[in-house]
Amino acid sequence: MACRITELVLDCRDPDRLAEFWCAVLGYEVIGHEPDGLELGPPGVRFGDGPPTLILAQTDNPRRGKLPLHIDVSPAGTDQETELARLLALGARRADVGQDGTESWEVLQDPEGNEFCLLRKDVGAA
């Protein structure tokens, strides 16, 4: 037996606001409501059968700055430049973490400042 990653938890101040952003980014929907947050996942996929769900856990003091774990996303059915424009239009912001301009990824922040990266490789349409 082995374990599988089934959930990623992101502390935030406003789960509803971030749910709108991350659902649009990932093509997810809200699949669970808890008193202290929301669970997002792919539509119609049974828990554990698909990619990890994303838990938006409400807290008054979310950690900021570089975390030891962050989310990477890849364009699906498009190129990096087109996807970057879409993410920026959704509310992502560019982040400077000391890049030198030769990286193949773009470092971004979600509307609450959580860093994530947009990778270059198109993984195909869902």
Side-chain angles (χ1 to χ4, degrees):
M1 281 309 250
C3 291
R4 291 189 7 218
I5 296 172
T6 56
E7 300 174 336
L8 300 173
V9 179
L10 186 60
D11 289 346
C12 62
R13 291 189 187 278
D14 188 347
D16 291 315
R17 177 177 173 222
L18 277 192
E20 185 177 325
F21 175 79
W22 283 108
C23 282
V25 168
L26 300 172
Y28 278 18
E29 61 187 25
V30 176
I31 60 172
H33 297 268
E34 299 294 330
D36 60 348
L38 300 171
E39 183 173 11
L40 314 179
V45 176
R46 199 183 74 168
F47 178 78
D49 283 348
T53 61
L54 182 60
I55 307 293
L56 302 176
Q58 186 173 19
T59 180
D60 291 333
N61 297 306
R63 287 183 60 189
R64 292 290 171 250
K66 182 155 178 57
L67 302 176
L69 178 70
H70 67 264
I71 296 171
D72 285 346
V73 297
S74 296
T78 191
D79 59 66
Q80 185 185 43
E81 185 177 323
T82 302
E83 186 61 5
L84 176 60
R86 185 180 82 88
L87 296 177
L88 293 172
L90 289 171
R93 298 180 309 274
R94 292 179 183 268
D96 182 357
V97 296
Q99 306 93 301
D100 65 14
T102 63
E103 296 81 9
S104 63
W105 60 87
E106 296 284 340
V107 182
L108 303 168
Q109 292 178 335
D110 72 14
E112 284 201 10
N114 300 298
E115 291 174 3
F116 68 101
C117 294
L118 172 63
L119 305 182
R120 178 172 288 162
K121 186 169 175 59
D122 176 359
V123 294

